[in-house]
Amino acid sequence: QVQLVESGGGLVQPGRSLKLSCAASGSIFMTNAMGWYRRAPGKQRELVAAITSGGGTTNYLDSVKGRFTISRDNAKNTLYLQMNSLKPEDTAVYYCNTVAGTFYSWGQGTQVTVSS
């Protein structure tokens, strides 16, 4: 059973940066494509960014392209999301999970609030 623990969120002003981390237990992490999801208040969960198992290919939601960068360190079983030029509309709880097949159990997420 893979467990996911997200961290790195916080309250930041528009235009600032944050880096999220997702620590995964279990070696299966290394074999799966992974992604960052977010859920804003009153909205459905959406996939923000995805990365293949080896890290060679990434994909992004149009609204975050050029601002967010997803990466992974399989040796550390950790997924990252570097978020730059944050906007108020990026405010949400951010989660990591697989983007291929059945979801792992969801972690608690990490809250990102962008506000002046």
Side-chain angles (χ1 to χ4, degrees), residues 7-29:
S7 62
L11 171 63
V12 295
Q13 294 180 329
R16 302 301 291 268
S17 299
L18 281 175
K19 186 173 185 177
L20 308 183
S21 297
C22 167
S25 65
S27 59
I28 195 171
F29 169 84

Side-chain angles (χ1 to χ4, degrees), residues 1-4 24-29 104-105:
Q1 180 74 10
V2 174
Q3 291 186 320
L4 303 168
S25 65
S27 59
I28 195 171
F29 169 84
Y104 301 132
S105 295

Side-chain angles (χ1 to χ4, degrees), residues 17-86:
S17 299
L18 281 175
K19 186 173 185 177
L20 308 183
S21 297
C22 167
S25 65
S27 59
I28 195 171
F29 169 84
M30 296 185 293
T31 66
N32 280 356
M34 295 290 294
W36 283 96
Y37 299 79
R38 69 185 180 188
R39 175 171 282 161
K43 295 186 178 180
Q44 291 188 334
R45 184 178 63 219
E46 61 181 352
L47 178 62
V48 174
I51 187 169
T52 50
S53 57
T57 300
T58 57
N59 286 288
Y60 298 92
L61 187 68
D62 283 348
S63 61
V64 308
K65 282 182 181 176
R67 299 189 297 121
F68 289 11
T69 302
I70 188 172
S71 61
R72 66 192 297 163
D73 185 338
N74 286 342
K76 296 181 179 180
N77 280 359
T78 303
L79 184 72
Y80 303 100
L81 185 67
Q82 176 68 49
M83 305 186 296
N84 299 329
S85 301
L86 282 161

